[in-house]
């Protein structure tokens, strides 16, 4: 398979689904729907939904049926970006090469757009569950998995810890703990949800969850490396900001070379998790390798 | 029945449940859990969960089983208060007689605390659904009802419209449309969820939803009246703020006397909706009447 073609085809499918889950609004609150769509349809990599669909593929699941869950994951990811970019948080002006939501609209609208996307994600999940009554218990587990990964025991807790750690000296353990919550939890949940809904066995789900946990760590290490070594134009946002903000990052605590080695070792280990799945896990395999060479 | 005793007993039960759904945190994100608990356990009236439980009672449902849904409704209500109070939104310093979340903590923590509560609400709902697999389809409808009422087609859209209407001349239709979304939708969803999970017939659910819609309107009219006529000390926040902010309110567009008449007429109509339920609907009946005489 050619990863570039695969990613581009999947992104098209996901973008179409997102457009359908969040059509243009009307009525008194229309402005918030515009802001939600501005950020959601701004053309991200769609990594979380792609991981979710690829995990369903790995267990020979029905990709189409998993799409609402994939869409909900992207909605949750986008809400978190909108809120993280706010002046009271990371105060970022650019995202995906465009003004951030609060710059394009205003702070109040951006706060509400994030709230609206987070809520819409659970609405999409509930609607999907309603359409598949025979799989109710799997949907419940998926929603619990995603809610836990997104909430105070996951992403929200990680963003809190990340803000508190700014300007503080950090150990490797602290950096790992923060990133496991802030970024890792939702990436792992994306893989796990796909495996669950795709109908994987308990053993499959466990192996793919382990892959997902490693994927989350590799993603964060390479994300930190891109902030040190990446090109601002390709990233769609300024680079070098972590150092300026004294953020807790892998290169900062272990150095660039050691961080690169760590990422490579984790990819090798993630590939071992995928062994039982043979050819069906080829997208997940290539996605892990891709993290090492990505430029955005 | 004595309403005061009923409300106080229910409030105690709900407070115990909320304490259990959101125990004190630990780990790197602990500060956000503190902020979530600060606002959630600040002792509100618990009107939404009480309505939900009372609707279940009206259809002879199991109140205990409905408790997680009642708790989730209060979490969603509290998140909306935290975000509405932010400087970029209504910029309020006091709520329930105490500093607002961003005053007690800081803006970033308050944004995350709201996000955490909204997410936790859906986690509690998913956990409850998992525990009652036989009623999966009812839970899905409850989650959809609540998500829609809370999102851009409900509360989030209403808050957006309310912010846009500030300082603009409003018609009665506009005021009603805003409040139906901003406050009415979640109150109606509270009643409807209780009726659904309590096992009401389609006819029961429809009648109680109609009651809930009227309850939402009455609540907002009397809330607007309290801002004009209420005592700041009893409200736990400054009064007279709507006029200062040129908010779209009922007294502003129709006058105080007409607004009071309107509220009384709506209560009479809401009592008609409750006729088929006999003695079991006594709490809902008294709750509607209570809105006319409440002082906070």
């Amino acid at each position: 398979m050619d990863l570039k073609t695969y990613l581009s085809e999947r992104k098209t499918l996901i973008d179409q689904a997102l457009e359908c889950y969040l059509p243009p609004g009307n009525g008194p609150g229309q402005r918030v729907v515009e802001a939600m769509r501005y950020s959601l349809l701004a053309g991200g990599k769609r990594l979380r939904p792609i991981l979710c669909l690829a995990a369903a593929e790995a267990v020979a699941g029905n990709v189409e049926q998993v799409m609402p869950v994939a869409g909900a994951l992207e909605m949750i990811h986008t809400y978190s970006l909108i809120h993280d970019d706010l002046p009271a948080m990371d105060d970022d002006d650019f995202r995906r090469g465009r003004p951030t939501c609060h710059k394009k609209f205003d702070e109040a609208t951006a706060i509400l757009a994030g709230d609206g996307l987070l809520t819409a994600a659970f609405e999409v999940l509930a609607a999907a569950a309603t359409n598949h009554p025979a799989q109710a218990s799997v949907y419940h587990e998926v929603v619990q998995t995603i809610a836990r990964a997104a909430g105070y025991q996951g992403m929200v807790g990680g963003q809190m810890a990340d803000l508190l750690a700014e300007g503080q000296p950090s150990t490797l353990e602290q950096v790992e703990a923060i990133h496991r919550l802030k970024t890792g939890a939702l990436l792992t949940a994306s893989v796990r949800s796909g495996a669950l809904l795709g109908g994987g066995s308990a053993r499959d789900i466990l192996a793919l969850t382990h892959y997902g946990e490693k994927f989350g760590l590799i993603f964060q290490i390479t994300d930190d490396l891109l902030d040190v070594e990446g090109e601002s134009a390709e990233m769609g946002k300024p680079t070098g900001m972590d150092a300026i903000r004294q953020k807790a990052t892998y290169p900062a605590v272990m150095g660039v070379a050691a961080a690169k080695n760590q990422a490579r070792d984790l990819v090798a280990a993630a590939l071992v998790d995928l062994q039982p799945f043979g050819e069906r896990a080829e997208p997940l395999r290539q996605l892990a390798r891709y993290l090492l060479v990505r430029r955005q």
Side-chain angles (χ1 to χ4, degrees), chain A:
Chain A
M1 63 166 278
D2 174 54
L3 184 68
K4 209 175 151 188
T5 311
Y6 176 87
L7 291 178
S8 142
E9 283 172 4
R10 281 295 156 94
K11 188 169 141 46
T12 304
L13 280 180
I14 292 160
D15 287 347
Q16 282 167 359
L18 290 174
E19 171 71 43
C20 159
Y21 301 146
L22 189 65
N26 51 43
Q30 185 172 357
R31 180 181 167 87
V32 74
V33 180
E34 278 170 38
M36 290 162 75
R37 285 173 53 89
Y38 172 80
S39 291
L40 184 65
L41 307 175
K45 294 186 292 292
R46 311 305 189 198
L47 189 56
R48 286 150 196 83
I50 287 172
L51 276 174
C52 177
L53 299 176
E57 253 186 304
V59 296
N62 176 345
V63 165
E64 209 172 309
Q65 199 204 310
V66 182
M67 190 58 88
V69 177
L73 288 161
E74 187 67 14
M75 287 178 168
I76 292 173
H77 174 58
T78 304
Y79 119 74
S80 78
L81 297 181
I82 295 175
H83 281 190
D84 285 2
D85 285 340
L86 286 167
M89 304 263 256
D90 292 346
D91 195 13
D92 281 312
D93 292 351
F94 286 93
R95 166 74 66 183
R96 294 173 176 173
R98 304 203 301 169
T100 45
C101 193
H102 66 275
K103 282 302 210 183
K104 174 76 179 175
F105 295 85
D106 55 62
E107 270 187 67
T109 305
I111 294 167
L112 289 170
D115 294 345
L117 281 168
L118 175 56
T119 314
F122 287 103
E123 197 181 336
V124 167
L125 289 172
T130 304
N131 291 336
H132 297 91
Q135 286 172 277
S137 67
V138 178
Y139 275 99
H140 294 152
E141 194 172 348
V142 166
V143 177
Q144 271 190 288
T145 299
I146 294 174
R148 183 173 295 224
Y152 66 91
Q153 296 172 86
M155 197 170 63
V156 165
Q159 173 67 2
M160 183 82 259
D162 197 24
L163 288 171
L164 293 174
E166 264 185 42
Q168 307 278 336
S170 301
T171 65
L172 181 59
E173 285 73 34
Q174 286 165 333
V175 172
E176 272 202 11
I178 290 172
H179 288 316
R180 207 180 287 276
L181 297 173
K182 186 181 170 177
T183 328
L186 196 64
L187 288 165
T188 308
S190 301
V191 177
R192 186 177 169 84
S193 307
L196 279 164
L197 253 194
S201 68
R203 197 176 192 154
D204 291 344
I205 293 164
L206 195 66
L208 289 174
T209 302
H210 287 153
Y211 162 87
E213 287 165 356
K214 294 184 186 85
F215 192 97
L217 280 177
I218 306 161
F219 179 85
Q220 192 57 51
I221 295 172
T222 55
D223 206 57
D224 287 352
L225 285 166
L226 276 171
D227 189 73
V228 178
E229 301 190 323
E231 295 293 329
S232 177
E234 291 183 54
M235 298 284 286
K237 61 183 181 185
T239 51
M241 293 304 287
D242 291 344
I244 290 168
R245 289 176 184 154
Q246 298 186 270
K247 283 264 189 190
T249 71
Y250 286 93
V253 296
M254 68 197 303
V256 167
K260 284 183 179 175
N261 275 334
Q262 173 89 344
R264 269 193 294 267
D265 290 351
L266 281 164
V267 169
L271 298 182
V272 174
D273 292 326
L274 297 178
Q275 263 168 9
F277 301 94
E279 196 53 38
R280 286 204 183 102
E282 194 52 25
L284 289 178
R285 224 168 261 129
Q286 293 208 24
L287 279 163
R289 288 199 198 100
Y290 156 76
L291 291 181
L292 295 178
V293 297
R294 72 197 178 110
R295 303 189 64 177
Q296 56 164 332

